Amino acid sequence: MGKSLFVLAAIRLWWAMRQRPYRPQPEAFPVMVNMGHLLLYACMFLMPVTGIAALLGGGYGLTLFGVDVITKTEVEIPWLGAIGNLHSPIAWMFVALVLGHIAAALFHHFVRRDQTLKRMLGQY
């Protein structure tokens, strides 16, 4: 599942880079807005990477779309396991960032009454 999400994250990043010239620049808190988006993308890529590291660190091997890319060895690799231990904290950070993103979109829609949410939904 994580490998598929990694592919989807790469497609999303490619799309975002192509749309960058058309995106409005944030008026309020531009550093915080840009950092929030950067962290969202970082989490999208780090989640599958740390998940794969946890698998390989535990000696489980790696299967990609039904094909064994790295066979199961049952030999633990401690340094990969340590990277894999970051999977859960990154997941919680990702949840917090997504909730913050939703809250900011709703704030723009209901308080500022601008077109941010409509732009996000592709309706503007």
Side-chain angles (χ1 to χ4, degrees):
M1 172 102 168
K3 298 158 295 259
S4 301
L5 292 175
F6 187 79
V7 171
L8 289 174
I11 292 169
R12 175 66 174 103
L13 180 62
W14 172 80
W15 180 84
M17 296 308 286
R18 290 192 37 95
Q19 297 297 316
R20 194 164 190 196
Y22 310 111
R23 292 179 58 146
Q25 294 302 314
E27 297 171 13
F29 309 109
V31 172
M32 192 167 77
V33 170
N34 291 331
M35 185 60 67
H37 285 108
L38 177 70
L39 287 172
L40 279 167
Y41 280 104
C43 286
M44 278 190 252
F45 284 98
L46 289 174
M47 286 296 299
V49 168
T50 56
I52 291 169
L55 285 174
L56 297 178
Y60 293 105
L62 178 65
T63 302
L64 186 61
F65 303 115
V67 177
D68 283 338
V69 177
I70 299 174
T71 58
K72 184 176 181 177
T73 63
E74 297 183 13
V75 175
E76 292 187 14
I77 304 169
W79 68 270
L80 272 176
I83 293 171
N85 287 337
L86 296 173
H87 190 70
S88 182
I90 292 170
W92 283 110
M93 184 172 75
F94 197 23
V95 167
L97 288 165
V98 168
L99 291 176
H101 200 260
I102 291 168
L106 293 175
F107 173 80
H108 275 274
H109 187 71
F110 292 112
V111 176
R112 295 194 67 189
R113 297 191 186 277
D114 58 14
Q115 302 299 318
T116 301
L117 185 59
K118 288 185 179 182
R119 267 197 319 273
M120 289 172 65
L121 297 173
Q123 298 174 356
Y124 186 73

